[in-house]
Amino acid sequence: MTDDAGTAPRRAGRPLEMVLSRARITAAALALITTEGYGGFTMSSLARTLKVAPSALYNHVSSKQEVLQWLEDHVMTMVDVSGFGSEPWDDAMRRWAWSYRDVFARHSPLVPLVAVLPVTGAPETLKMYETVAVGLGGAGVPVETIIPAIVAVESFIFGSALDANAPADIFDTGELAGSSPTFTAAVLGQDRSTGERPADVAFRFGLEALLAAVPATRPGRPA
Amino acid sequence: MTDDAGTAPRRAGRPLEMVLSRARITAAALALITTEGYGGFTMSSLARTLKVAPSALYNHVSSKQEVLQWLEDHVMTMVDVSGFGSEPWDDAMRRWAWSYRDVFARHSPLVPLVAVLPVTGAPETLKMYETVAVGLGGAGVPVETIIPAIVAVESFIFGSALDANAPADIFDTGELAGSSPTFTAAVLGQDRSTGERPADVAFRFGLEALLAAVPATRPGRPA
């Protein structure tokens, strides 16, 4: 059980202090990670940022893992769901998916967490799922296909968020080119004419494939 | 620069000892992780398993990160590429993708690593890519589409390997059901008649969508 981002007290008797804690700790964690990166993020550095003793911090949150879960849920509010209800369903999905990938490419250490985090501990994440589910339902997607479609697109987004951080030379075969002639030719034969990053070309390819398979009955964007 | 899994000496003068080191350390790491899990994997526990002092271990490998990279490359040999050359291209892709997901679902802490690891440090991984590239090329996929197709399918596999470890109740909305009625209905409305795990239903949906988008000119499995 966790509180819902600060709108309800967790326990009687200490309302105000507890009310603010999740939001304040999460904001401090985000500020710290934005300047120092995930590598420098520890409970001690977080306590220093909050100007409290580590023991005081542990009165409010059980572990670094829990802070990261709170942070994951907060980061999810940065994902753009504004297209649902205002755009054709497929454009709304595109806006959501590209923004979701970009946000978690910047916060890739959170990817393994969000992939396994129950929605009851992540109310903002659940809010996002509700918006997407309403969008797909409104597009005429059968109720039994909504979850598989969301999970498939989201799994693709998570993997792509990791891939977006791959070094540009990840597929340069170097001195191993002789033993991998077809793969090496494929790497060299990528279409560079658009100037688009290879990670973006692959993301577009996969996302359009997934959207094409969503059994919507309402029309998407006119071709 | 790393050696290629023990077939060539890294340096003149210490051939035999160096020849065996990467393979031996990797095998010990795999044995340790298979019994203890990734949580208990440290350089000290690895040194104990190898019956050497930690300092001796560090003479052969620079960091835990490097051991995990070697392990990643070794784990990749467990992925089933046997369909390429013997089955229709799409069945070969299915066999590869399902097996790749299953292997990395068991080794999910390696997922963030493999997603960003240059192939020059991972010769077995490169061998796998070569096999898949030959398969796609043989299916008539244009050379400029081979890499985007592999990256898209692989990103989907990585995210799905993480998703396969999600708790069964990840989407149970509990007391938040009232604020997420459409999503809750979609969770409850999933088709359970086949007995297939929800993670597998989503993986099949996404994989078939991606394969359908691969511009092969040779026929796949007869429908």
Side-chain angles (χ1 to χ4, degrees):
Chain A
M1 283 290 294
T2 57
D3 66 22
D4 55 356
T7 57
R10 285 163 81 126
R11 243 175 264 146
R14 304 173 57 189
L16 188 60
E17 190 184 5
M18 298 306 286
V19 160
L20 293 177
S21 65
R22 178 169 171 162
R24 196 187 293 153
I25 293 169
T26 303
L30 181 61
L32 188 59
I33 282 165
T34 303
T35 54
E36 306 291 325
Y38 281 87
F41 177 67
T42 62
M43 289 297 267
S44 332
S45 63
L46 180 57
R48 270 197 305 278
T49 303
L50 286 161
K51 298 190 180 25
V52 298
S55 59
L57 182 56
Y58 279 108
N59 282 337
H60 294 274
V61 62
S62 64
S63 63
K64 177 177 164 180
Q65 180 82 357
E66 191 173 11
V67 175
L68 291 175
Q69 290 178 352
W70 293 354
L71 184 61
E72 177 277 304
D73 197 44
H74 177 69
V75 162
M76 203 62 93
T77 64
M78 303 174 191
V79 175
D80 186 355
V81 292
S82 68
F84 293 101
S86 65
E87 294 176 348
W89 73 269
D90 55 335
D91 274 348
M93 289 288 286
R94 286 182 186 98
R95 180 188 296 276
W96 169 67
W98 281 94
S99 127
Y100 196 167
R101 190 208 59 160
D102 289 347
V103 166
F104 279 87
R106 291 197 301 276
H107 292 278
S108 61
L110 296 179
V111 167
L113 276 177
V114 59
V116 299
L117 184 61
V119 291
T120 44
E124 294 296 336
T125 305
L126 177 57
K127 211 178 285 182
M128 180 193 74
Y129 286 137
E130 175 68 6
T131 303
V132 178
V134 169
L136 290 177
V141 177
V143 66
E144 69 270 17
T145 309
I146 289 178
I147 297 300
I150 290 177
V151 171
V153 176
E154 201 178 36
S155 294
F156 176 64
I157 289 168
F158 292 151
S160 300
L162 299 176
D163 177 60
N165 286 302
D169 65 349
I170 186 168
F171 284 155
D172 286 0
T173 52
E175 62 191 28
L176 302 175
S179 62
S180 56
T182 305
F183 183 74
T184 301
V187 172
L188 297 173
Q190 292 176 83
D191 180 7
R192 307 277 189 180
S193 64
T194 63
E196 208 175 21
R197 293 195 320 149
D200 291 348
V201 175
F203 188 70
R204 173 166 291 112
F205 175 87
L207 179 61
E208 293 303 319
L210 292 164
L211 293 182
V214 172
T217 57
R218 303 287 192 297
R221 179 173 53 176
Chain B
M1 284 292 294
T2 57
D3 65 22
D4 56 357
T7 57
R10 282 165 82 127
R11 244 174 263 146
R14 302 171 58 189
L16 188 61
E17 188 185 6
M18 297 307 286
V19 160
L20 294 175
S21 65
R22 177 168 172 163
R24 196 188 293 154
I25 292 169
T26 303
L30 180 61
L32 188 59
I33 282 165
T34 303
T35 54
E36 307 290 324
Y38 281 87
F41 178 67
T42 61
M43 289 296 266
S44 331
S45 63
L46 181 57
R48 271 197 305 277
T49 304
L50 286 160
K51 298 191 179 26
V52 298
S55 58
L57 182 57
Y58 280 108
N59 282 336
H60 294 274
V61 61
S62 64
S63 63
K64 177 177 165 179
Q65 179 82 357
E66 191 173 12
V67 175
L68 290 175
Q69 290 178 353
W70 292 355
L71 184 61
E72 177 277 304
D73 197 43
H74 177 70
V75 161
M76 203 62 93
T77 64
M78 304 174 189
V79 174
D80 186 354
V81 292
S82 67
F84 294 102
S86 66
E87 295 176 347
W89 74 269
D90 55 335
D91 273 347
M93 288 289 285
R94 286 183 186 97
R95 182 188 294 276
W96 169 67
W98 280 94
S99 130
Y100 196 168
R101 188 207 61 160
D102 289 347
V103 166
F104 279 87
R106 290 197 302 276
H107 293 278
S108 60
L110 296 179
V111 167
L113 275 177
V114 59
V116 299
L117 184 61
V119 291
T120 43
E124 294 296 337
T125 304
L126 177 57
K127 211 178 285 181
M128 180 193 74
Y129 286 136
E130 174 69 5
T131 303
V132 178
V134 169
L136 290 177
V141 177
V143 66
E144 70 271 17
T145 309
I146 289 178
I147 298 299
I150 291 178
V151 171
V153 176
E154 200 178 36
S155 294
F156 176 64
I157 289 168
F158 292 150
S160 299
L162 298 176
D163 177 61
N165 287 302
D169 65 350
I170 187 169
F171 284 155
D172 286 1
T173 51
E175 62 191 28
L176 301 176
S179 61
S180 57
T182 305
F183 183 73
T184 301
V187 171
L188 297 173
Q190 291 175 84
D191 180 8
R192 308 278 189 177
S193 64
T194 63
E196 207 175 22
R197 292 195 320 149
D200 290 348
V201 175
F203 188 70
R204 174 167 290 110
F205 174 86
L207 180 61
E208 293 303 319
L210 291 164
L211 293 181
V214 172
T217 56
R218 304 287 192 296
R221 179 173 54 177

